[in-house]
Each structure stands twice: as structure tokens, then as C-alpha cells.
mmCIF file of all heavy atoms in Angstrom:
data_model
loop_
_atom_site.group_PDB
_atom_site.id
_atom_site.type_symbol
_atom_site.label_atom_id
_atom_site.label_comp_id
_atom_site.label_asym_id
_atom_site.label_seq_id
_atom_site.Cartn_x
_atom_site.Cartn_y
_atom_site.Cartn_z
ATOM 1 N N ALA L 22 0.834 -1.209 0.004
ATOM 2 C CA ALA L 22 0.001 0.001 -0.001
ATOM 3 C C ALA L 22 0.869 1.256 0.001
ATOM 4 O O ALA L 22 0.575 2.227 -0.716
ATOM 5 C CB ALA L 22 -0.933 -0.009 1.218
ATOM 6 N N SER L 23 1.931 1.249 0.783
ATOM 7 C CA SER L 23 2.837 2.404 0.833
ATOM 8 C C SER L 23 3.503 2.603 -0.521
ATOM 9 O O SER L 23 3.661 3.738 -0.990
ATOM 10 C CB SER L 23 3.902 2.187 1.914
ATOM 11 O OG SER L 23 3.309 1.977 3.183
ATOM 12 N N TYR L 24 3.895 1.501 -1.130
ATOM 13 C CA TYR L 24 4.498 1.585 -2.469
ATOM 14 C C TYR L 24 3.538 2.217 -3.468
ATOM 15 O O TYR L 24 3.940 3.075 -4.276
ATOM 16 C CB TYR L 24 4.898 0.190 -2.946
ATOM 17 C CG TYR L 24 5.297 0.166 -4.408
ATOM 18 C CD1 TYR L 24 6.561 0.565 -4.805
ATOM 19 C CD2 TYR L 24 4.387 -0.213 -5.395
ATOM 20 C CE1 TYR L 24 6.922 0.576 -6.144
ATOM 21 C CE2 TYR L 24 4.742 -0.211 -6.727
ATOM 22 C CZ TYR L 24 6.003 0.192 -7.101
ATOM 23 O OH TYR L 24 6.349 0.209 -8.422
ATOM 24 N N ARG L 25 2.284 1.816 -3.424
ATOM 25 C CA ARG L 25 1.308 2.315 -4.402
ATOM 26 C C ARG L 25 1.074 3.814 -4.259
ATOM 27 O O ARG L 25 0.853 4.515 -5.252
ATOM 28 C CB ARG L 25 0.003 1.530 -4.261
ATOM 29 C CG ARG L 25 0.160 0.051 -4.550
ATOM 30 C CD ARG L 25 -1.125 -0.717 -4.432
ATOM 31 N NE ARG L 25 -2.008 -0.425 -5.557
ATOM 32 C CZ ARG L 25 -3.130 -1.099 -5.808
ATOM 33 N NH1 ARG L 25 -3.487 -2.106 -5.014
ATOM 34 N NH2 ARG L 25 -3.873 -0.785 -6.839
ATOM 35 N N VAL L 26 1.094 4.295 -3.028
ATOM 36 C CA VAL L 26 0.955 5.738 -2.811
ATOM 37 C C VAL L 26 2.119 6.478 -3.466
ATOM 38 O O VAL L 26 1.925 7.436 -4.229
ATOM 39 C CB VAL L 26 0.906 6.056 -1.291
ATOM 40 C CG1 VAL L 26 1.000 7.567 -1.067
ATOM 41 C CG2 VAL L 26 -0.377 5.507 -0.668
ATOM 42 N N ALA L 27 3.339 6.036 -3.179
ATOM 43 C CA ALA L 27 4.523 6.725 -3.697
ATOM 44 C C ALA L 27 4.611 6.619 -5.209
ATOM 45 O O ALA L 27 4.979 7.588 -5.891
ATOM 46 C CB ALA L 27 5.784 6.143 -3.049
ATOM 47 N N ASP L 28 4.290 5.453 -5.753
ATOM 48 C CA ASP L 28 4.402 5.247 -7.199
ATOM 49 C C ASP L 28 3.455 6.159 -7.975
ATOM 50 O O ASP L 28 3.784 6.614 -9.066
ATOM 51 C CB ASP L 28 4.101 3.782 -7.526
ATOM 52 C CG ASP L 28 4.037 3.532 -9.018
ATOM 53 O OD1 ASP L 28 5.073 3.703 -9.693
ATOM 54 O OD2 ASP L 28 2.948 3.189 -9.525
ATOM 55 N N SER L 29 2.294 6.428 -7.415
ATOM 56 C CA SER L 29 1.269 7.188 -8.149
ATOM 57 C C SER L 29 1.577 8.666 -8.257
ATOM 58 O O SER L 29 1.425 9.268 -9.332
ATOM 59 C CB SER L 29 -0.095 7.000 -7.463
ATOM 60 O OG SER L 29 -0.498 5.652 -7.473
ATOM 61 N N VAL L 30 2.019 9.274 -7.156
ATOM 62 C CA VAL L 30 2.042 10.730 -7.098
ATOM 63 C C VAL L 30 3.124 11.359 -7.967
ATOM 64 O O VAL L 30 3.015 12.541 -8.321
ATOM 65 C CB VAL L 30 2.195 11.211 -5.635
ATOM 66 C CG1 VAL L 30 1.011 10.751 -4.802
ATOM 67 C CG2 VAL L 30 3.499 10.702 -5.020
ATOM 68 N N VAL L 31 4.166 10.601 -8.312
ATOM 69 C CA VAL L 31 5.255 11.175 -9.109
ATOM 70 C C VAL L 31 5.007 11.011 -10.606
ATOM 71 O O VAL L 31 5.596 11.725 -11.425
ATOM 72 C CB VAL L 31 6.607 10.537 -8.711
ATOM 73 C CG1 VAL L 31 7.770 11.122 -9.515
ATOM 74 C CG2 VAL L 31 6.873 10.744 -7.226
ATOM 75 N N ASN L 32 4.110 10.090 -10.971
ATOM 76 C CA ASN L 32 3.847 9.832 -12.397
ATOM 77 C C ASN L 32 3.592 11.105 -13.202
ATOM 78 O O ASN L 32 4.074 11.267 -14.321
ATOM 79 C CB ASN L 32 2.638 8.902 -12.549
ATOM 80 C CG ASN L 32 2.955 7.470 -12.174
ATOM 81 O OD1 ASN L 32 4.112 7.060 -12.216
ATOM 82 N ND2 ASN L 32 1.945 6.704 -11.814
ATOM 83 N N ILE L 33 2.793 11.985 -12.617
ATOM 84 C CA ILE L 33 2.304 13.138 -13.379
ATOM 85 C C ILE L 33 3.339 14.245 -13.554
ATOM 86 O O ILE L 33 3.102 15.206 -14.304
ATOM 87 C CB ILE L 33 1.028 13.720 -12.729
ATOM 88 C CG1 ILE L 33 1.251 13.973 -11.235
ATOM 89 C CG2 ILE L 33 -0.147 12.797 -12.961
ATOM 90 C CD1 ILE L 33 0.048 14.566 -10.533
ATOM 91 N N ILE L 34 4.485 14.129 -12.870
ATOM 92 C CA ILE L 34 5.510 15.168 -13.046
ATOM 93 C C ILE L 34 6.816 14.595 -13.585
ATOM 94 O O ILE L 34 7.819 15.310 -13.661
ATOM 95 C CB ILE L 34 5.797 15.918 -11.717
ATOM 96 C CG1 ILE L 34 6.286 14.947 -10.636
ATOM 97 C CG2 ILE L 34 4.567 16.686 -11.258
ATOM 98 C CD1 ILE L 34 6.787 15.644 -9.384
ATOM 99 N N SER L 35 6.798 13.324 -13.976
ATOM 100 C CA SER L 35 8.017 12.715 -14.509
ATOM 101 C C SER L 35 7.992 12.726 -16.041
ATOM 102 O O SER L 35 7.130 12.086 -16.653
ATOM 103 C CB SER L 35 8.159 11.275 -14.016
ATOM 104 O OG SER L 35 9.233 10.633 -14.663
ATOM 105 N N PRO L 36 8.913 13.421 -16.680
ATOM 106 C CA PRO L 36 8.958 13.414 -18.146
ATOM 107 C C PRO L 36 9.234 12.033 -18.721
ATOM 108 O O PRO L 36 9.026 11.802 -19.908
ATOM 109 C CB PRO L 36 10.120 14.375 -18.472
ATOM 110 C CG PRO L 36 10.346 15.161 -17.227
ATOM 111 C CD PRO L 36 9.956 14.268 -16.088
ATOM 112 N N LEU L 37 9.714 11.114 -17.877
ATOM 113 C CA LEU L 37 10.041 9.770 -18.336
ATOM 114 C C LEU L 37 8.853 8.831 -18.261
ATOM 115 O O LEU L 37 8.962 7.670 -18.673
ATOM 116 C CB LEU L 37 11.202 9.203 -17.509
ATOM 117 C CG LEU L 37 12.459 10.084 -17.489
ATOM 118 C CD1 LEU L 37 13.512 9.463 -16.601
ATOM 119 C CD2 LEU L 37 12.987 10.276 -18.886
ATOM 120 N N MET L 38 7.724 9.291 -17.709
ATOM 121 C CA MET L 38 6.519 8.471 -17.712
ATOM 122 C C MET L 38 6.111 8.213 -19.161
ATOM 123 O O MET L 38 6.059 9.150 -19.966
ATOM 124 C CB MET L 38 5.400 9.205 -16.974
ATOM 125 C CG MET L 38 4.308 8.283 -16.460
ATOM 126 S SD MET L 38 2.977 8.021 -17.641
ATOM 127 C CE MET L 38 2.147 9.594 -17.578
ATOM 128 N N PRO L 39 5.858 6.957 -19.559
ATOM 129 C CA PRO L 39 5.653 6.629 -20.982
ATOM 130 C C PRO L 39 4.599 7.475 -21.686
ATOM 131 O O PRO L 39 4.737 7.749 -22.886
ATOM 132 C CB PRO L 39 5.229 5.151 -20.933
ATOM 133 C CG PRO L 39 5.851 4.623 -19.685
ATOM 134 C CD PRO L 39 5.827 5.760 -18.713
ATOM 135 N N TYR L 40 3.570 7.899 -20.981
ATOM 136 C CA TYR L 40 2.496 8.653 -21.633
ATOM 137 C C TYR L 40 2.695 10.162 -21.562
ATOM 138 O O TYR L 40 1.866 10.914 -22.073
ATOM 139 C CB TYR L 40 1.147 8.285 -21.003
ATOM 140 C CG TYR L 40 0.713 6.882 -21.333
ATOM 141 C CD1 TYR L 40 0.893 5.848 -20.427
ATOM 142 C CD2 TYR L 40 0.139 6.580 -22.555
ATOM 143 C CE1 TYR L 40 0.520 4.551 -20.731
ATOM 144 C CE2 TYR L 40 -0.243 5.295 -22.877
ATOM 145 C CZ TYR L 40 -0.057 4.284 -21.957
ATOM 146 O OH TYR L 40 -0.433 3.005 -22.269
ATOM 147 N N PHE L 41 3.768 10.601 -20.936
ATOM 148 C CA PHE L 41 3.991 12.047 -20.791
ATOM 149 C C PHE L 41 4.057 12.751 -22.153
ATOM 150 O O PHE L 41 3.411 13.803 -22.334
ATOM 151 C CB PHE L 41 5.264 12.298 -19.989
ATOM 152 C CG PHE L 41 5.320 13.648 -19.340
ATOM 153 C CD1 PHE L 41 4.844 13.845 -18.055
ATOM 154 C CD2 PHE L 41 5.846 14.741 -20.020
ATOM 155 C CE1 PHE L 41 4.895 15.095 -17.459
ATOM 156 C CE2 PHE L 41 5.898 15.987 -19.445
ATOM 157 C CZ PHE L 41 5.425 16.164 -18.146
ATOM 158 N N PRO L 42 4.802 12.218 -23.133
ATOM 159 C CA PRO L 42 4.810 12.879 -24.447
ATOM 160 C C PRO L 42 3.436 12.935 -25.103
ATOM 161 O O PRO L 42 3.105 13.912 -25.799
ATOM 162 C CB PRO L 42 5.768 12.008 -25.270
ATOM 163 C CG PRO L 42 6.621 11.311 -24.269
ATOM 164 C CD PRO L 42 5.726 11.056 -23.100
ATOM 165 N N LEU L 43 2.611 11.896 -24.878
ATOM 166 C CA LEU L 43 1.267 11.897 -25.452
ATOM 167 C C LEU L 43 0.415 13.005 -24.837
ATOM 168 O O LEU L 43 -0.307 13.718 -25.547
ATOM 169 C CB LEU L 43 0.609 10.535 -25.218
ATOM 170 C CG LEU L 43 -0.833 10.396 -25.705
ATOM 171 C CD1 LEU L 43 -0.905 10.523 -27.216
ATOM 172 C CD2 LEU L 43 -1.420 9.063 -25.245
ATOM 173 N N ILE L 44 0.497 13.159 -23.517
ATOM 174 C CA ILE L 44 -0.275 14.209 -22.837
ATOM 175 C C ILE L 44 0.173 15.584 -23.326
ATOM 176 O O ILE L 44 -0.642 16.495 -23.532
ATOM 177 C CB ILE L 44 -0.114 14.099 -21.312
ATOM 178 C CG1 ILE L 44 -0.411 12.686 -20.836
ATOM 179 C CG2 ILE L 44 -1.020 15.104 -20.613
ATOM 180 C CD1 ILE L 44 -1.754 12.149 -21.255
ATOM 181 N N LEU L 45 1.484 15.732 -23.536
ATOM 182 C CA LEU L 45 2.008 17.009 -24.041
ATOM 183 C C LEU L 45 1.484 17.277 -25.450
ATOM 184 O O LEU L 45 1.160 18.423 -25.797
ATOM 185 C CB LEU L 45 3.535 16.985 -24.030
ATOM 186 C CG LEU L 45 4.239 18.276 -24.431
ATOM 187 C CD1 LEU L 45 3.813 19.430 -23.537
ATOM 188 C CD2 LEU L 45 5.749 18.101 -24.369
ATOM 189 N N ALA L 46 1.359 16.231 -26.251
ATOM 190 C CA ALA L 46 0.809 16.391 -27.603
ATOM 191 C C ALA L 46 -0.647 16.848 -27.547
ATOM 192 O O ALA L 46 -1.079 17.695 -28.347
ATOM 193 C CB ALA L 46 0.921 15.077 -28.370
ATOM 194 N N PHE L 47 -1.408 16.301 -26.616
ATOM 195 C CA PHE L 47 -2.797 16.743 -26.438
ATOM 196 C C PHE L 47 -2.827 18.225 -26.047
ATOM 197 O O PHE L 47 -3.672 18.993 -26.533
ATOM 198 C CB PHE L 47 -3.498 15.918 -25.355
ATOM 199 C CG PHE L 47 -3.746 14.486 -25.734
ATOM 200 C CD1 PHE L 47 -3.713 13.480 -24.770
ATOM 201 C CD2 PHE L 47 -4.023 14.131 -27.051
ATOM 202 C CE1 PHE L 47 -3.948 12.152 -25.118
ATOM 203 C CE2 PHE L 47 -4.260 12.803 -27.402
ATOM 204 C CZ PHE L 47 -4.231 11.826 -26.432
#
């Protein structure tokens, strides 16, 4: 549960997240 909290919150600010370029294209 602790891992899931930490894993989620950084996704949206990491340029290395696989979907980050797609969101930027949108």
C-alpha cells in the first residue's frame, strides 16, 4: 500500500513516464 501511494504521485511530473509525451501532444 505504501509503495502504491509513492508510485502514483510522481507519475504526473516525470517526463520519463511513458504517456507524458502523449499528454504534451494533447
Side-chain angles (χ1 to χ4, degrees):
S23 302
Y24 169 80
R25 298 181 73 170
V26 171
D28 173 64
S29 298
V30 298
V31 180
N32 286 337
I33 51 179
I34 59 171
S35 172
L37 305 178
M38 202 270 287
Y40 290 100
F41 202 91
L43 177 65
I44 308 306
L45 184 57
F47 292 147

